[in-house]
Amino acid sequence: MSRKPLRVLTPRSILPALAVMLVLAAGAAAHANKPVPFGDRVAGPGAEATPVNSESLSAADLDLRVGPGLEAFHKQTGEQAWSYRREGAEALYLAMAGDNAIVVWDDGLVTSVRPGDHEVRWHRAVPGLADWLRGDGEPGADKRTDAQRKQLAKQRAAAALHTVQRDGSPWLALVTPNLTMGLRDADGDLRYNDKPANGCAYDPLRAVHTDYAVLIPRTCTNGGGQAVSGGLTGYRLDSNGWSMSTGPAATLKVLDRSRVEITDGPIVPAKVFDTKAAAPETACGTLDAPFAAVRPQGGCVDPSGGPAATGAPAPAPAATDAPAGDQPAAPQP
């Protein structure tokens, strides 16, 4: 047993203990008042930050709008159902991935919201997205008005987000000049990310998507900043992607759920790429046409005047009551 006398607590010795207690109390208060992660605020009409107590709805029942957050309105009555906002951030663009709403914010964050029960499902930060949305440091950036800056940010947010409505498992791609990312919508999981080669940059403003893939053009420049070549990269979530060489200004046009037309200048003929088959259509009349993996829709006309060379059945003639002399002439091969 220690024989040391009991220590008497003098006012001077009490001060450090009080200081520690005050710091702990302040920390506890700060923790209690800590904002919701990512500044999320989901509220009902007429409320600033209270939980929504409305009944569950489906996305088909709601009209979703962006600005300053994600706002939901009843389609039948026009009344506000709920509002989702983030402190210090503004929503710029909205796209649907299946039944879920994907929102791009001006601080470079992307969120997924389930409209039916107004639940924020996941958050994902995209490196470099906020800087590209603002466009600071670009030629002429200092001369833009506030309205022009806001319009530019909205335009780029729409170009950055591509939702792929893959049956049963939609996903999304986020594209900036220096990075592209693929996310699974089910949980926001990052499935791939890719950077362009040195001296090259992606062009989000020319990127397109189908129900199966996202196609992203890229441009490569020389030491003087002049575009010298280009290319096209296709990304899928369920299989390997692909790439092809193009000129620096190739344009893409979506034809239907799977096909994209690629135009690469006035000299090179336009080609059609099938993103479901991950192969280009083979042009009629070429040596490869009989063995093509993807044939043009409608088939190729046999020069002998017989049925389509691709093996597809010839279309039935349209019924008409016109006299024989008024029948349109058969198309010439």
Short mmCIF file of all heavy atoms in Angstrom, two decimals, residues 205-277:
data_model
loop_
_atom_site.label_atom_id
_atom_site.label_comp_id
_atom_site.label_asym_id
_atom_site.label_seq_id
_atom_site.Cartn_x
_atom_site.Cartn_y
_atom_site.Cartn_z
N LEU A 205 -18.25 16.03 -75.36
CA LEU A 205 -19.33 16.67 -76.12
C LEU A 205 -19.69 15.89 -77.38
O LEU A 205 -20.77 16.10 -77.95
CB LEU A 205 -18.91 18.10 -76.50
CG LEU A 205 -18.71 19.06 -75.32
CD1 LEU A 205 -18.21 20.41 -75.82
CD2 LEU A 205 -20.00 19.23 -74.53
N ARG A 206 -18.83 14.98 -77.81
CA ARG A 206 -19.14 14.15 -78.98
C ARG A 206 -19.52 12.72 -78.59
O ARG A 206 -19.86 11.92 -79.46
CB ARG A 206 -17.94 14.11 -79.94
CG ARG A 206 -17.67 15.41 -80.68
CD ARG A 206 -16.63 15.20 -81.77
NE ARG A 206 -15.30 14.94 -81.23
CZ ARG A 206 -14.40 14.14 -81.80
NH1 ARG A 206 -14.69 13.50 -82.93
NH2 ARG A 206 -13.20 13.96 -81.25
N ALA A 207 -19.45 12.39 -77.31
CA ALA A 207 -19.75 11.03 -76.87
C ALA A 207 -21.24 10.73 -76.99
O ALA A 207 -22.09 11.61 -76.85
CB ALA A 207 -19.29 10.83 -75.43
N VAL A 208 -21.56 9.46 -77.24
CA VAL A 208 -22.96 9.02 -77.34
C VAL A 208 -23.07 7.68 -76.61
O VAL A 208 -22.07 7.05 -76.27
CB VAL A 208 -23.41 8.85 -78.81
CG1 VAL A 208 -23.33 10.17 -79.56
CG2 VAL A 208 -22.58 7.78 -79.52
N HIS A 209 -24.31 7.26 -76.39
CA HIS A 209 -24.54 5.96 -75.77
C HIS A 209 -25.76 5.29 -76.39
O HIS A 209 -26.65 5.96 -76.92
CB HIS A 209 -24.73 6.09 -74.25
CG HIS A 209 -25.95 6.84 -73.86
ND1 HIS A 209 -25.97 8.22 -73.70
CD2 HIS A 209 -27.22 6.42 -73.59
CE1 HIS A 209 -27.18 8.61 -73.35
NE2 HIS A 209 -27.96 7.53 -73.28
N THR A 210 -25.77 3.97 -76.34
CA THR A 210 -26.92 3.18 -76.75
C THR A 210 -27.41 2.40 -75.52
O THR A 210 -27.00 2.67 -74.41
CB THR A 210 -26.52 2.21 -77.87
OG1 THR A 210 -25.62 1.22 -77.35
CG2 THR A 210 -25.85 2.95 -79.03
N ASP A 211 -28.25 1.41 -75.76
CA ASP A 211 -28.71 0.58 -74.65
C ASP A 211 -27.68 -0.47 -74.26
O ASP A 211 -27.94 -1.26 -73.34
CB ASP A 211 -30.02 -0.13 -75.03
CG ASP A 211 -31.21 0.80 -74.93
OD1 ASP A 211 -31.01 1.99 -74.60
OD2 ASP A 211 -32.34 0.35 -75.21
N TYR A 212 -26.52 -0.47 -74.93
CA TYR A 212 -25.53 -1.50 -74.66
C TYR A 212 -24.14 -0.94 -74.36
O TYR A 212 -23.34 -1.62 -73.70
CB TYR A 212 -25.43 -2.46 -75.85
CG TYR A 212 -26.73 -3.14 -76.17
CD1 TYR A 212 -27.62 -2.60 -77.09
CD2 TYR A 212 -27.10 -4.31 -75.52
CE1 TYR A 212 -28.83 -3.20 -77.37
CE2 TYR A 212 -28.31 -4.93 -75.79
CZ TYR A 212 -29.18 -4.38 -76.72
OH TYR A 212 -30.38 -4.99 -76.97
N ALA A 213 -23.82 0.23 -74.84
CA ALA A 213 -22.45 0.71 -74.71
C ALA A 213 -22.40 2.23 -74.74
O ALA A 213 -23.37 2.90 -75.10
CB ALA A 213 -21.58 0.14 -75.83
N VAL A 214 -21.23 2.75 -74.37
CA VAL A 214 -20.92 4.17 -74.48
C VAL A 214 -19.75 4.31 -75.44
O VAL A 214 -18.76 3.58 -75.33
CB VAL A 214 -20.56 4.77 -73.11
CG1 VAL A 214 -20.13 6.22 -73.25
CG2 VAL A 214 -21.74 4.67 -72.17
N LEU A 215 -19.86 5.20 -76.41
CA LEU A 215 -18.81 5.43 -77.39
C LEU A 215 -18.24 6.82 -77.17
O LEU A 215 -18.96 7.82 -77.20
CB LEU A 215 -19.35 5.31 -78.82
CG LEU A 215 -19.55 3.88 -79.34
CD1 LEU A 215 -20.78 3.25 -78.71
CD2 LEU A 215 -19.70 3.87 -80.86
N ILE A 216 -16.93 6.89 -76.97
CA ILE A 216 -16.27 8.15 -76.59
C ILE A 216 -15.17 8.47 -77.59
O ILE A 216 -14.18 7.73 -77.68
CB ILE A 216 -15.69 8.05 -75.17
CG1 ILE A 216 -16.78 7.64 -74.18
CG2 ILE A 216 -15.08 9.38 -74.77
CD1 ILE A 216 -16.27 7.39 -72.78
N PRO A 217 -15.30 9.55 -78.35
CA PRO A 217 -14.22 9.96 -79.25
C PRO A 217 -13.06 10.57 -78.47
O PRO A 217 -13.23 11.09 -77.37
CB PRO A 217 -14.89 11.02 -80.15
CG PRO A 217 -16.35 10.87 -79.92
CD PRO A 217 -16.50 10.36 -78.52
N ARG A 218 -11.89 10.50 -79.05
CA ARG A 218 -10.71 11.13 -78.47
C ARG A 218 -9.93 11.80 -79.59
O ARG A 218 -9.98 11.38 -80.75
CB ARG A 218 -9.83 10.11 -77.74
CG ARG A 218 -9.23 9.05 -78.63
CD ARG A 218 -8.43 8.02 -77.85
NE ARG A 218 -7.84 7.03 -78.74
CZ ARG A 218 -8.46 5.95 -79.17
NH1 ARG A 218 -9.72 5.73 -78.81
NH2 ARG A 218 -7.85 5.10 -79.98
N THR A 219 -9.21 12.83 -79.23
CA THR A 219 -8.39 13.57 -80.18
C THR A 219 -6.97 13.65 -79.64
O THR A 219 -6.77 13.88 -78.44
CB THR A 219 -8.96 14.99 -80.38
OG1 THR A 219 -10.31 14.89 -80.85
CG2 THR A 219 -8.12 15.76 -81.40
N CYS A 220 -6.00 13.47 -80.51
CA CYS A 220 -4.60 13.55 -80.13
C CYS A 220 -3.95 14.73 -80.85
O CYS A 220 -4.23 14.98 -82.03
CB CYS A 220 -3.87 12.26 -80.48
SG CYS A 220 -4.60 10.79 -79.71
N THR A 221 -3.12 15.47 -80.15
CA THR A 221 -2.49 16.67 -80.71
C THR A 221 -0.98 16.53 -80.69
O THR A 221 -0.40 15.73 -79.95
CB THR A 221 -2.90 17.91 -79.88
OG1 THR A 221 -2.53 17.70 -78.51
CG2 THR A 221 -4.40 18.13 -79.95
N ASN A 222 -0.34 17.34 -81.54
CA ASN A 222 1.12 17.37 -81.57
C ASN A 222 1.64 18.41 -80.59
O ASN A 222 0.88 19.00 -79.82
CB ASN A 222 1.63 17.63 -82.99
CG ASN A 222 1.08 18.95 -83.56
OD1 ASN A 222 0.63 19.82 -82.80
ND2 ASN A 222 1.12 19.09 -84.88
N GLY A 223 2.97 18.63 -80.62
CA GLY A 223 3.57 19.58 -79.68
C GLY A 223 3.05 20.99 -79.84
O GLY A 223 3.07 21.78 -78.89
N GLY A 224 2.54 21.34 -81.04
CA GLY A 224 2.01 22.67 -81.28
C GLY A 224 0.54 22.81 -80.94
O GLY A 224 -0.05 23.87 -81.17
N GLY A 225 -0.08 21.74 -80.43
CA GLY A 225 -1.48 21.80 -80.07
C GLY A 225 -2.43 21.54 -81.21
O GLY A 225 -3.65 21.69 -81.04
N GLN A 226 -1.92 21.13 -82.38
CA GLN A 226 -2.78 20.85 -83.52
C GLN A 226 -3.26 19.40 -83.48
O GLN A 226 -2.47 18.49 -83.20
CB GLN A 226 -2.04 21.12 -84.83
CG GLN A 226 -1.65 22.57 -85.04
CD GLN A 226 -0.86 22.76 -86.32
OE1 GLN A 226 -0.17 21.86 -86.78
NE2 GLN A 226 -0.96 23.95 -86.90
N ALA A 227 -4.54 19.19 -83.79
CA ALA A 227 -5.09 17.84 -83.81
C ALA A 227 -4.51 17.07 -84.99
O ALA A 227 -4.61 17.51 -86.14
CB ALA A 227 -6.61 17.90 -83.91
N VAL A 228 -3.90 15.94 -84.72
CA VAL A 228 -3.24 15.17 -85.77
C VAL A 228 -3.92 13.83 -86.01
O VAL A 228 -3.74 13.22 -87.08
CB VAL A 228 -1.76 14.94 -85.43
CG1 VAL A 228 -1.01 16.27 -85.45
CG2 VAL A 228 -1.60 14.27 -84.07
N SER A 229 -4.65 13.31 -85.05
CA SER A 229 -5.33 12.03 -85.22
C SER A 229 -6.46 11.93 -84.22
O SER A 229 -6.62 12.79 -83.35
CB SER A 229 -4.35 10.86 -85.04
OG SER A 229 -3.87 10.83 -83.70
N GLY A 230 -7.23 10.89 -84.35
CA GLY A 230 -8.33 10.68 -83.43
C GLY A 230 -8.63 9.21 -83.28
O GLY A 230 -7.96 8.35 -83.87
N GLY A 231 -9.59 8.92 -82.51
CA GLY A 231 -9.99 7.54 -82.29
C GLY A 231 -11.32 7.47 -81.60
O GLY A 231 -11.93 8.50 -81.26
N LEU A 232 -11.77 6.26 -81.41
CA LEU A 232 -13.08 6.03 -80.80
C LEU A 232 -12.95 4.82 -79.89
O LEU A 232 -12.45 3.76 -80.30
CB LEU A 232 -14.13 5.78 -81.88
CG LEU A 232 -15.56 5.52 -81.43
CD1 LEU A 232 -16.13 6.75 -80.77
CD2 LEU A 232 -16.43 5.12 -82.61
N THR A 233 -13.39 4.95 -78.64
CA THR A 233 -13.35 3.85 -77.69
C THR A 233 -14.77 3.52 -77.26
O THR A 233 -15.54 4.41 -76.91
CB THR A 233 -12.51 4.22 -76.45
OG1 THR A 233 -11.21 4.66 -76.86
CG2 THR A 233 -12.36 3.02 -75.54
N GLY A 234 -15.09 2.24 -77.30
CA GLY A 234 -16.40 1.78 -76.85
C GLY A 234 -16.27 1.03 -75.54
O GLY A 234 -15.37 0.21 -75.37
N TYR A 235 -17.16 1.31 -74.61
CA TYR A 235 -17.12 0.70 -73.29
C TYR A 235 -18.43 -0.04 -73.02
O TYR A 235 -19.51 0.48 -73.30
CB TYR A 235 -16.91 1.75 -72.20
CG TYR A 235 -15.59 2.47 -72.29
CD1 TYR A 235 -15.49 3.66 -73.00
CD2 TYR A 235 -14.45 1.96 -71.66
CE1 TYR A 235 -14.27 4.33 -73.08
CE2 TYR A 235 -13.24 2.62 -71.74
CZ TYR A 235 -13.16 3.81 -72.45
OH TYR A 235 -11.96 4.47 -72.53
N ARG A 236 -18.29 -1.25 -72.49
CA ARG A 236 -19.44 -2.02 -72.03
C ARG A 236 -19.15 -2.53 -70.63
O ARG A 236 -18.00 -2.59 -70.22
CB ARG A 236 -19.71 -3.19 -72.98
CG ARG A 236 -20.14 -2.76 -74.38
CD ARG A 236 -20.38 -3.94 -75.28
NE ARG A 236 -21.52 -4.74 -74.83
CZ ARG A 236 -22.10 -5.69 -75.59
NH1 ARG A 236 -21.65 -5.93 -76.79
NH2 ARG A 236 -23.11 -6.37 -75.10
N LEU A 237 -20.20 -2.87 -69.91
CA LEU A 237 -20.01 -3.33 -68.54
C LEU A 237 -20.02 -4.86 -68.45
O LEU A 237 -19.50 -5.42 -67.50
CB LEU A 237 -21.10 -2.75 -67.64
CG LEU A 237 -20.67 -2.42 -66.21
CD1 LEU A 237 -19.57 -1.39 -66.21
CD2 LEU A 237 -21.86 -1.92 -65.40
N ASP A 238 -20.61 -5.52 -69.45
CA ASP A 238 -20.76 -6.97 -69.39
C ASP A 238 -19.75 -7.71 -70.25
O ASP A 238 -19.78 -8.93 -70.32
CB ASP A 238 -22.18 -7.36 -69.79
CG ASP A 238 -22.54 -6.86 -71.18
OD1 ASP A 238 -21.82 -5.99 -71.70
OD2 ASP A 238 -23.55 -7.33 -71.74
N SER A 239 -18.88 -6.98 -70.95
CA SER A 239 -17.89 -7.63 -71.81
C SER A 239 -16.78 -6.62 -72.10
O SER A 239 -16.83 -5.47 -71.67
CB SER A 239 -18.53 -8.12 -73.11
OG SER A 239 -19.03 -7.03 -73.86
N ASN A 240 -15.78 -7.08 -72.84
CA ASN A 240 -14.67 -6.20 -73.18
C ASN A 240 -15.11 -5.09 -74.12
O ASN A 240 -16.04 -5.25 -74.91
CB ASN A 240 -13.55 -7.00 -73.84
CG ASN A 240 -12.93 -8.02 -72.89
OD1 ASN A 240 -12.95 -7.81 -71.68
ND2 ASN A 240 -12.42 -9.10 -73.42
N GLY A 241 -14.42 -3.97 -74.03
CA GLY A 241 -14.70 -2.86 -74.94
C GLY A 241 -13.91 -3.02 -76.23
O GLY A 241 -13.35 -4.08 -76.53
N TRP A 242 -13.86 -1.96 -76.99
CA TRP A 242 -13.14 -1.99 -78.26
C TRP A 242 -12.68 -0.58 -78.59
O TRP A 242 -13.10 0.39 -77.97
CB TRP A 242 -14.03 -2.53 -79.38
CG TRP A 242 -15.20 -1.65 -79.65
CD1 TRP A 242 -15.28 -0.59 -80.50
CD2 TRP A 242 -16.49 -1.72 -79.03
NE1 TRP A 242 -16.52 -0.01 -80.44
CE2 TRP A 242 -17.27 -0.69 -79.56
CE3 TRP A 242 -17.04 -2.58 -78.08
CZ2 TRP A 242 -18.59 -0.48 -79.16
CZ3 TRP A 242 -18.36 -2.37 -77.69
CH2 TRP A 242 -19.13 -1.34 -78.23
N SER A 243 -11.81 -0.47 -79.59
CA SER A 243 -11.36 0.84 -80.03
C SER A 243 -11.11 0.80 -81.52
O SER A 243 -10.85 -0.27 -82.09
CB SER A 243 -10.09 1.27 -79.29
OG SER A 243 -9.03 0.37 -79.58
N MET A 244 -11.18 1.95 -82.15
CA MET A 244 -10.92 2.06 -83.58
C MET A 244 -10.31 3.42 -83.87
O MET A 244 -10.51 4.38 -83.11
CB MET A 244 -12.20 1.86 -84.40
CG MET A 244 -13.25 2.94 -84.18
SD MET A 244 -14.75 2.66 -85.16
CE MET A 244 -15.43 1.22 -84.34
N SER A 245 -9.54 3.50 -84.94
CA SER A 245 -8.91 4.75 -85.34
C SER A 245 -9.87 5.55 -86.20
O SER A 245 -10.60 5.00 -87.03
CB SER A 245 -7.62 4.47 -86.12
OG SER A 245 -6.69 3.79 -85.30
N THR A 246 -9.87 6.85 -86.01
CA THR A 246 -10.68 7.77 -86.81
C THR A 246 -9.88 9.04 -87.03
O THR A 246 -8.77 9.20 -86.51
CB THR A 246 -12.00 8.13 -86.10
OG1 THR A 246 -11.70 8.91 -84.94
CG2 THR A 246 -12.78 6.88 -85.71
N GLY A 247 -10.46 9.95 -87.77
CA GLY A 247 -9.90 11.28 -87.87
C GLY A 247 -10.18 12.06 -86.60
O GLY A 247 -10.96 11.63 -85.75
N PRO A 248 -9.58 13.22 -86.46
CA PRO A 248 -9.76 13.99 -85.22
C PRO A 248 -11.15 14.59 -85.05
O PRO A 248 -11.48 15.05 -83.95
CB PRO A 248 -8.70 15.09 -85.34
CG PRO A 248 -8.44 15.22 -86.80
CD PRO A 248 -8.62 13.86 -87.38
N ALA A 249 -11.97 14.61 -86.10
CA ALA A 249 -13.28 15.26 -86.00
C ALA A 249 -14.42 14.32 -86.38
O ALA A 249 -15.45 14.78 -86.87
CB ALA A 249 -13.31 16.51 -86.88
N ALA A 250 -14.27 13.03 -86.16
CA ALA A 250 -15.34 12.08 -86.49
C ALA A 250 -16.59 12.40 -85.67
O ALA A 250 -16.50 12.78 -84.50
CB ALA A 250 -14.88 10.65 -86.22
N THR A 251 -17.75 12.24 -86.30
CA THR A 251 -19.03 12.51 -85.62
C THR A 251 -19.81 11.21 -85.47
O THR A 251 -19.72 10.30 -86.31
CB THR A 251 -19.87 13.53 -86.40
OG1 THR A 251 -20.13 13.02 -87.72
CG2 THR A 251 -19.13 14.85 -86.52
N LEU A 252 -20.60 11.14 -84.40
CA LEU A 252 -21.38 9.94 -84.09
C LEU A 252 -22.86 10.29 -84.05
O LEU A 252 -23.25 11.33 -83.54
CB LEU A 252 -20.96 9.36 -82.74
CG LEU A 252 -19.46 9.16 -82.51
CD1 LEU A 252 -19.21 8.60 -81.12
CD2 LEU A 252 -18.86 8.27 -83.57
N LYS A 253 -23.68 9.38 -84.58
CA LYS A 253 -25.12 9.58 -84.58
C LYS A 253 -25.79 8.26 -84.21
O LYS A 253 -25.58 7.24 -84.87
CB LYS A 253 -25.61 10.03 -85.97
CG LYS A 253 -27.12 10.21 -86.06
CD LYS A 253 -27.53 10.59 -87.48
CE LYS A 253 -29.04 10.72 -87.59
NZ LYS A 253 -29.45 11.06 -88.98
N VAL A 254 -26.58 8.27 -83.15
CA VAL A 254 -27.29 7.07 -82.71
C VAL A 254 -28.46 6.82 -83.65
O VAL A 254 -29.31 7.70 -83.85
CB VAL A 254 -27.76 7.23 -81.25
CG1 VAL A 254 -28.56 6.01 -80.83
CG2 VAL A 254 -26.58 7.43 -80.32
N LEU A 255 -28.53 5.60 -84.21
CA LEU A 255 -29.60 5.25 -85.14
C LEU A 255 -30.76 4.54 -84.45
O LEU A 255 -31.91 4.75 -84.81
CB LEU A 255 -29.05 4.36 -86.26
CG LEU A 255 -27.92 4.97 -87.10
CD1 LEU A 255 -27.43 3.96 -88.14
CD2 LEU A 255 -28.38 6.25 -87.78
N ASP A 256 -30.46 3.70 -83.48
CA ASP A 256 -31.50 2.99 -82.74
C ASP A 256 -30.90 2.50 -81.43
O ASP A 256 -29.89 3.03 -80.97
CB ASP A 256 -32.09 1.83 -83.57
CG ASP A 256 -31.02 0.92 -84.15
OD1 ASP A 256 -29.99 0.70 -83.47
OD2 ASP A 256 -31.19 0.42 -85.28
N ARG A 257 -31.49 1.48 -80.83
CA ARG A 257 -31.05 1.03 -79.50
C ARG A 257 -29.63 0.49 -79.49
O ARG A 257 -28.98 0.46 -78.45
CB ARG A 257 -31.99 -0.05 -78.98
CG ARG A 257 -33.38 0.41 -78.64
CD ARG A 257 -34.17 -0.73 -78.03
NE ARG A 257 -33.51 -1.27 -76.84
CZ ARG A 257 -33.82 -2.42 -76.29
NH1 ARG A 257 -34.77 -3.19 -76.82
NH2 ARG A 257 -33.18 -2.83 -75.20
N SER A 258 -29.13 0.04 -80.64
CA SER A 258 -27.81 -0.59 -80.66
C SER A 258 -26.86 -0.02 -81.69
O SER A 258 -25.65 -0.15 -81.54
CB SER A 258 -27.95 -2.11 -80.90
OG SER A 258 -28.49 -2.35 -82.18
N ARG A 259 -27.36 0.62 -82.74
CA ARG A 259 -26.49 1.00 -83.86
C ARG A 259 -26.13 2.49 -83.82
O ARG A 259 -26.95 3.33 -83.50
CB ARG A 259 -27.15 0.66 -85.20
CG ARG A 259 -27.45 -0.82 -85.38
CD ARG A 259 -28.01 -1.10 -86.76
NE ARG A 259 -29.14 -0.23 -87.03
CZ ARG A 259 -29.41 0.32 -88.22
NH1 ARG A 259 -28.61 0.10 -89.24
NH2 ARG A 259 -30.47 1.09 -88.38
N VAL A 260 -24.88 2.76 -84.20
CA VAL A 260 -24.37 4.12 -84.25
C VAL A 260 -23.70 4.34 -85.61
O VAL A 260 -22.91 3.50 -86.07
CB VAL A 260 -23.34 4.38 -83.13
CG1 VAL A 260 -22.74 5.78 -83.26
CG2 VAL A 260 -23.99 4.21 -81.77
N GLU A 261 -24.03 5.45 -86.25
CA GLU A 261 -23.39 5.81 -87.52
C GLU A 261 -22.17 6.69 -87.24
O GLU A 261 -22.26 7.67 -86.51
CB GLU A 261 -24.37 6.56 -88.42
CG GLU A 261 -23.79 6.89 -89.79
CD GLU A 261 -24.76 7.68 -90.65
OE1 GLU A 261 -25.09 8.83 -90.27
OE2 GLU A 261 -25.22 7.14 -91.67
N ILE A 262 -21.04 6.32 -87.83
CA ILE A 262 -19.78 7.03 -87.63
C ILE A 262 -19.39 7.69 -88.94
O ILE A 262 -19.17 7.01 -89.95
CB ILE A 262 -18.67 6.07 -87.17
CG1 ILE A 262 -19.11 5.33 -85.91
CG2 ILE A 262 -17.37 6.82 -86.93
CD1 ILE A 262 -18.18 4.19 -85.51
N THR A 263 -19.32 9.01 -88.93
CA THR A 263 -18.94 9.77 -90.12
C THR A 263 -17.57 10.37 -89.87
O THR A 263 -17.36 11.10 -88.90
CB THR A 263 -19.96 10.88 -90.41
OG1 THR A 263 -21.26 10.30 -90.55
CG2 THR A 263 -19.60 11.62 -91.69
N ASP A 264 -16.65 10.07 -90.78
CA ASP A 264 -15.25 10.45 -90.57
C ASP A 264 -14.74 11.30 -91.73
O ASP A 264 -13.71 11.02 -92.33
CB ASP A 264 -14.39 9.19 -90.43
CG ASP A 264 -13.05 9.48 -89.78
OD1 ASP A 264 -12.83 10.62 -89.37
OD2 ASP A 264 -12.22 8.55 -89.69
N GLY A 265 -15.48 12.35 -92.04
CA GLY A 265 -15.04 13.28 -93.07
C GLY A 265 -15.69 13.00 -94.41
O GLY A 265 -16.39 12.00 -94.60
N PRO A 266 -15.45 13.89 -95.39
CA PRO A 266 -16.13 13.78 -96.69
C PRO A 266 -15.57 12.69 -97.59
O PRO A 266 -16.22 12.29 -98.56
CB PRO A 266 -15.90 15.16 -97.31
CG PRO A 266 -14.62 15.64 -96.68
CD PRO A 266 -14.61 15.09 -95.29
N ILE A 267 -14.37 12.20 -97.32
CA ILE A 267 -13.75 11.22 -98.22
C ILE A 267 -14.06 9.80 -97.78
O ILE A 267 -14.40 8.94 -98.60
CB ILE A 267 -12.21 11.44 -98.27
CG1 ILE A 267 -11.91 12.84 -98.79
CG2 ILE A 267 -11.55 10.38 -99.13
CD1 ILE A 267 -10.43 13.18 -98.82
N VAL A 268 -13.96 9.53 -96.49
CA VAL A 268 -14.19 8.18 -95.98
C VAL A 268 -15.70 7.92 -95.87
O VAL A 268 -16.41 8.73 -95.27
CB VAL A 268 -13.52 8.00 -94.61
CG1 VAL A 268 -13.74 6.58 -94.09
CG2 VAL A 268 -12.05 8.32 -94.70
N PRO A 269 -16.21 6.83 -96.45
CA PRO A 269 -17.65 6.55 -96.35
C PRO A 269 -18.06 6.34 -94.90
O PRO A 269 -17.30 5.80 -94.09
CB PRO A 269 -17.82 5.26 -97.17
CG PRO A 269 -16.60 5.18 -98.03
CD PRO A 269 -15.50 5.82 -97.27
N ALA A 270 -19.26 6.75 -94.57
CA ALA A 270 -19.79 6.54 -93.22
C ALA A 270 -19.96 5.05 -92.97
O ALA A 270 -20.25 4.27 -93.89
CB ALA A 270 -21.11 7.27 -93.06
N LYS A 271 -19.75 4.64 -91.72
CA LYS A 271 -19.93 3.25 -91.35
C LYS A 271 -20.91 3.15 -90.19
O LYS A 271 -21.11 4.12 -89.45
CB LYS A 271 -18.60 2.61 -90.97
CG LYS A 271 -17.97 3.21 -89.72
CD LYS A 271 -16.65 2.52 -89.36
CE LYS A 271 -15.58 2.81 -90.39
NZ LYS A 271 -14.26 2.27 -89.98
N VAL A 272 -21.51 1.99 -90.04
CA VAL A 272 -22.45 1.74 -88.96
C VAL A 272 -21.85 0.68 -88.04
O VAL A 272 -21.42 -0.38 -88.50
CB VAL A 272 -23.82 1.28 -89.49
CG1 VAL A 272 -24.75 0.90 -88.33
CG2 VAL A 272 -24.45 2.38 -90.34
N PHE A 273 -21.85 0.98 -86.75
CA PHE A 273 -21.31 0.05 -85.75
C PHE A 273 -22.44 -0.43 -84.86
O PHE A 273 -23.24 0.36 -84.37
CB PHE A 273 -20.24 0.74 -84.91
CG PHE A 273 -19.40 -0.21 -84.12
CD1 PHE A 273 -18.21 -0.69 -84.62
CD2 PHE A 273 -19.81 -0.63 -82.86
CE1 PHE A 273 -17.43 -1.59 -83.90
CE2 PHE A 273 -19.04 -1.51 -82.13
CZ PHE A 273 -17.84 -1.99 -82.64
N ASP A 274 -22.51 -1.75 -84.68
CA ASP A 274 -23.55 -2.35 -83.84
C ASP A 274 -22.95 -2.60 -82.46
O ASP A 274 -22.08 -3.46 -82.28
CB ASP A 274 -24.03 -3.67 -84.45
CG ASP A 274 -25.28 -4.21 -83.76
OD1 ASP A 274 -25.30 -4.22 -82.52
OD2 ASP A 274 -26.23 -4.60 -84.46
N THR A 275 -23.41 -1.84 -81.45
CA THR A 275 -22.84 -1.96 -80.11
C THR A 275 -23.31 -3.22 -79.38
O THR A 275 -22.66 -3.63 -78.41
CB THR A 275 -23.20 -0.73 -79.27
OG1 THR A 275 -24.63 -0.62 -79.18
CG2 THR A 275 -22.65 0.54 -79.90
N LYS A 276 -24.38 -3.84 -79.82
CA LYS A 276 -24.82 -5.10 -79.21
C LYS A 276 -23.92 -6.24 -79.67
O LYS A 276 -23.49 -7.07 -78.87
CB LYS A 276 -26.28 -5.38 -79.56
CG LYS A 276 -26.81 -6.64 -78.92
CD LYS A 276 -28.29 -6.86 -79.26
CE LYS A 276 -28.83 -8.12 -78.58
NZ LYS A 276 -30.27 -8.34 -78.92
N ALA A 277 -23.62 -6.28 -80.96
CA ALA A 277 -22.75 -7.32 -81.50
C ALA A 277 -21.27 -6.96 -81.37
O ALA A 277 -20.41 -7.80 -81.59
CB ALA A 277 -23.08 -7.56 -82.97
#
